[in-house]
Amino acid sequence: MASIESQAAIAADTWSIECTPFMEPDVAAEVEENFQDRADVIAFRVAGGRRLLPSDSSNVSPGEGRRSRFVMMHPDLGLDIGTAESDYCTVVRVENVNVASSNTFPNALASIGVQLDNVGDIVVANSSTVYFVVDPNVAKQCMRLLSKELVGVGINLSLCGANEFMPHGEIQDMKLSRVLERQMERKKHELGYVQFS
């Protein structure tokens, strides 16, 4: 919460636009509550794919996004929520993928170096089509590398337009497999990277 507060202070003081990582609904509800009555900064909560935000953080209905992020700015910048969503959330469509045989999408994204903080909802529309929301800074990486981590013939990745709605479907949990978690932890230690809390 302290890092989000410092991002908000930077946005208000420098008249810039700051974005948080994607977060789970319970954390997002807490952040939203903290920014509700602030006059120095606006914090738009966006989920991507032109979806609504859940009214109850424990239950997500069709057409609602589960994971969301905040786009924070000075109130006089004049950015609206629709522009904030289209500029800071990119929706990628994956077609011709064998969802049942493929690695889970969180594992596949982590395997190509995309941190899950940069990933919103992953929606399985049917057995061969998946939509997911990412930070625009990692969309190109996903477009180039993700098909190599998935199973399917003629896998096609494309960016959805800002006017397209993300379809209803099953939302995948954002959990990595334990094997992948251990591999990533081992790699950190091999590179000499240790994070102190």
Side-chain angles (χ1 to χ4, degrees):
M1 189 59 102
S3 65
I4 294 172
E5 186 62 42
S6 67
Q7 281 183 299
I10 290 169
D13 293 343
T14 62
W15 287 58
S16 61
I17 299 172
E18 296 287 323
C19 292
T20 66
F22 284 95
M23 54 190 80
E24 294 295 327
D26 52 342
V27 177
E30 183 181 328
V31 171
E32 191 170 41
E33 187 177 304
N34 286 344
F35 284 99
Q36 202 166 26
D37 297 325
R38 300 246 330 234
D40 63 331
V41 68
I42 293 177
F44 289 129
R45 183 177 172 193
V46 294
R50 298 182 58 143
R51 294 173 299 149
L52 301 172
L53 296 165
S55 54
D56 177 19
S57 62
S58 61
N59 186 20
V60 179
S61 302
E64 293 181 337
R66 187 168 169 266
R67 288 173 56 91
S68 57
R69 72 187 315 188
F70 289 88
V71 179
M72 298 174 287
M73 73 212 75
H74 191 280
D76 292 337
L77 280 178
L79 190 69
D80 66 348
I81 192 165
T83 306
E85 183 174 73
S86 65
D87 288 353
Y88 295 96
C89 295
T90 299
V91 179
V92 178
R93 178 188 308 114
V94 184
E95 297 172 304
N96 301 326
V97 62
N98 186 338
V99 175
S101 298
S102 288
N103 201 352
T104 66
F105 272 80
N107 287 343
L109 289 164
S111 295
I112 63 169
V114 175
Q115 295 180 1
L116 296 186
D117 288 348
N118 292 323
V119 182
D121 286 335
I122 299 170
V123 177
V124 179
N126 57 45
S127 63
S128 65
T129 307
V130 176
Y131 291 80
F132 61 94
V133 180
V134 292
D135 184 301
N137 296 324
V138 299
K140 190 174 192 179
Q141 183 178 356
C142 293
M143 298 292 290
R144 286 184 178 175
L145 301 174
L146 188 59
S147 62
K148 294 167 180 59
E149 294 292 324
L150 301 173
V151 177
V153 177
I155 294 175
N156 181 32
L157 280 85
S158 58
L159 298 178
C160 293
N163 59 349
E164 290 183 62
F165 285 89
M166 199 166 176
H168 306 309
E170 179 189 339
I171 296 178
Q172 281 195 348
D173 285 333
M174 295 301 287
K175 293 183 182 178
L176 294 176
S177 70
R178 289 185 181 195
V179 171
L180 187 58
E181 283 179 353
R182 283 194 296 265
Q183 286 175 348
M184 291 173 67
E185 198 63 36
R186 203 173 300 129
K187 190 177 282 188
K188 280 182 189 177
H189 291 293
E190 287 173 3
L191 297 173
Y193 172 77
V194 179
Q195 182 178 358
F196 297 99
S197 298

